[in-house]
Amino acid sequence: MNASSYLKHRKIKSSEDTKNVIQIALIAIVLMVIAAILSKGVFLQPRNLMNLIFQNGILILIALAQLLVIIVSGIDLSVGAIMAMSSILIVLYQDAGSGAAILIALGASMVFGAVSGSLVTFKRLPSFVVTLAMMQIVYSLAQVLSGGAAVYSGFQGATISEGFTTYYLGSVMGIPNVILTCIIVIILVSRFLRTSYGHFAYAIGGNEKTAYFSGIPVERVKVTVYILAALLAGLAAVIFVGRVGMGDPRAGQWLPLDSIAAVTIGGASLSGGVGSVAGTVIGVLILGTLTNIMNLMGVPPTIQPAVKGIVIILAVYLNSRKKN
């Protein structure tokens, strides 16, 4: 099978992805109805639904990053650490201006992604081990740069620009900027997965050896995917800084678990080659709705992570049954 055959095969697979998205959307609707009943109709109000997306803006970006890596049969445990480091860099380099600080943070994120991707691709190391080590390294670097505490000003004393708060709380035509950012990223990632590179990523996740012998540039595609995933994690830091008004070296520790949960709930396979942007976004909304339901039912915060863990296991089990 050559590269062009893979593209044709992917078009056939897209119909199956559509069926999966419909099934996941039905589950989301059922959960929303349950939440509406428990909240006496408040949950389904347009303002509350918009808040659901707004509150999960960071997770949407991180889940899309995780999706890209999972499609090529990998996993990225460093996304939370990269977001934390990026938030530190954005604040510390405020003296150079907000735009420059953001570019520095995004550039550093891409370097971390390139290192992880290169080790996984060229050295054939397991992505789980590589990104776990990268997570530890990046968190350690963030602690060193910040002195082990949250930072509120740059190296030379410049405070965080009000533009971050304005961006986070602002809106365009009544649509919050955070939601607009998510929409733009969703469109861009969707477009990427529809390009030849995106189709090649699916082929690599399906069978890397076959993809290689079919003439697909496996190494280039895999490294690119890890770089893009890290870039999205760095972009999530912009939203984080706007939300909390600081750089936090310990931020994002919950993101790897929740992003993997969202992607698997959204129908992606941890063995690679399967997954969609729509399914992932719905997976994030399902997680957010599930959290709201647990809060409405008075489930203790100490128990809620266990429930999410059970949901992950169930999602992986159902996906494996479909694949078999």
Side-chain angles (χ1 to χ4, degrees), residues 7-18:
L7 296 181
K8 294 178 181 178
H9 175 68
R10 183 58 208 161
K11 290 179 180 179
I12 296 174
K13 286 287 291 181
S14 63
S15 62
E16 297 180 14
D17 292 340
T18 301

Side-chain angles (χ1 to χ4, degrees), residues 14-34:
S14 63
S15 62
E16 297 180 14
D17 292 340
T18 301
K19 292 179 181 178
N20 288 335
V21 170
I22 293 174
Q23 292 174 354
I24 298 161
L26 290 175
I27 294 173
I29 292 172
V30 170
L31 285 175
M32 288 182 177
V33 171
I34 294 173

Side-chain angles (χ1 to χ4, degrees), residues 97 136 159 264:
Q136 299 290 347
T159 56
T264 52

Side-chain angles (χ1 to χ4, degrees), residues 227-308:
I227 292 174
L228 289 177
L231 178 63
L232 290 177
L235 184 60
V238 178
I239 299 178
F240 178 80
V241 172
R243 173 187 290 180
V244 301
M246 64 179 184
D248 187 351
R250 294 175 294 272
Q253 295 181 7
W254 51 274
L255 285 173
L257 172 64
D258 280 8
S259 62
I260 293 171
V263 174
T264 52
I265 291 171
S269 171
L270 292 178
S271 60
V274 178
S276 67
V277 171
T280 297
V281 174
I282 295 174
V284 172
L285 298 181
I286 287 176
L287 274 183
T289 303
L290 185 62
T291 300
N292 278 359
I293 290 175
M294 288 190 290
N295 290 335
L296 290 170
M297 294 178 65
V299 178
T302 53
I303 302 297
Q304 292 187 15
V307 175
K308 291 180 181 179

